[in-house]
Amino acid sequence: MFAINLRRLRHDKGLSQDDLAYEAEISRSYLSQLEKGKYNVSLKIIGKLAAVLGVEPAELLKSPLKKSGKGCYWSLSFTFNRGSNETDRPKS
């Protein structure tokens, strides 16, 4: 899921692996392995890659749309909480 989205988003932005790796401050070989799904990725690296690609981190973790047996499409998405403050919390 992550590897497919990473490669698709990089291609959509017209970036080479070298360019994306440089901007995200990771090695090109590490990026290559991420795109092949060979390594697990940390949230820190997901954040760096998302920033360079100009997307929310959740975009890298979304499940590609799949067609179900009944002709419906579904996707799985994640949301990241960027922190909260006292005003965000419900009052008890």
Side-chain angles (χ1 to χ4, degrees):
M1 193 166 34
F2 172 80
I4 293 167
N5 289 333
L6 176 59
R7 186 177 179 109
R8 176 184 52 81
L9 290 166
R10 179 178 61 79
H11 280 238
D12 289 351
K13 295 288 182 182
L15 294 172
S16 68
Q17 284 185 342
D18 285 326
D19 292 338
L20 179 55
Y22 177 79
E23 292 296 324
E25 299 175 339
I26 61 174
S27 73
R28 193 216 46 86
S29 65
Y30 179 59
L31 177 62
S32 175
Q33 296 302 311
L34 289 176
E35 285 190 354
K36 293 176 185 175
K38 300 285 184 185
Y39 292 138
N40 291 324
V41 64
S42 71
L43 291 176
K44 181 179 179 180
I45 298 298
I46 290 172
K48 285 182 168 190
L49 292 168
V52 174
L53 293 168
V55 299
E56 290 294 317
E59 190 68 26
L60 288 163
L61 301 174
K62 284 185 179 176
S63 177
L65 287 177
K66 296 181 182 181
K67 191 171 181 179
S68 73
K70 298 182 181 179
C72 297
Y73 289 86
W74 61 272
S75 70
L76 174 66
S77 64
F78 298 86
T79 50
F80 286 84
N81 184 354
R82 292 181 179 219
S84 63
N85 61 36
E86 293 302 318
T87 60
D88 293 334
R89 295 184 190 147
K91 306 260 184 214
S92 22

